[in-house]
């Protein structure tokens, strides 16, 4: 899996799997380690965008 193509780090100790088919093709032992390390949540593109927007608002520094 290639960083920023198939997955990317996310603020708050999260990871976003961009290519779920490639993730599902990994050995079950690797999938299990990822699932133990992270809370797995599936979301639609619209829901993911809403979460991104909310996190962006928290990260923006206002002067």
């Amino acid at each position: 899996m290639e960083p920023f193509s198939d997955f990317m780090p996310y603020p708050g100790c999260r990871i976003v799997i961009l290519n779920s088919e490639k993730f599902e093709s990994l050995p079950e032992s690797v999938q299990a380690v990822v699932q133990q390390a992270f809370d797995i949540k599936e979301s639609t593109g619209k829901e993911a965008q809403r979460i991104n927007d909310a996190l962006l608002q928290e990260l923006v520094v206002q002067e």
Side-chain angles (χ1 to χ4, degrees):
M1 292 187 64
E2 297 292 321
F4 300 101
S5 175
D6 299 317
F7 73 95
M8 67 181 197
Y10 205 72
C13 297
R14 298 180 183 178
I15 189 171
V16 176
I17 308 266
L18 302 170
N19 187 335
S20 59
E21 290 178 10
K22 203 167 191 181
F23 176 75
E24 291 168 0
S25 72
L26 293 171
E28 286 186 24
S29 60
V30 174
Q31 291 181 43
V33 168
V34 172
Q35 291 172 349
Q36 288 174 353
F38 299 97
D39 290 330
I40 304 297
K41 297 179 185 178
E42 291 188 37
S43 62
T44 64
K46 194 173 195 176
E47 178 67 10
Q49 187 61 52
R50 187 189 67 74
I51 293 167
N52 286 343
D53 292 343
L55 285 170
L56 180 61
Q57 290 298 316
E58 291 182 22
L59 296 173
V60 171
V61 177
Q62 307 230 350
E63 294 180 32

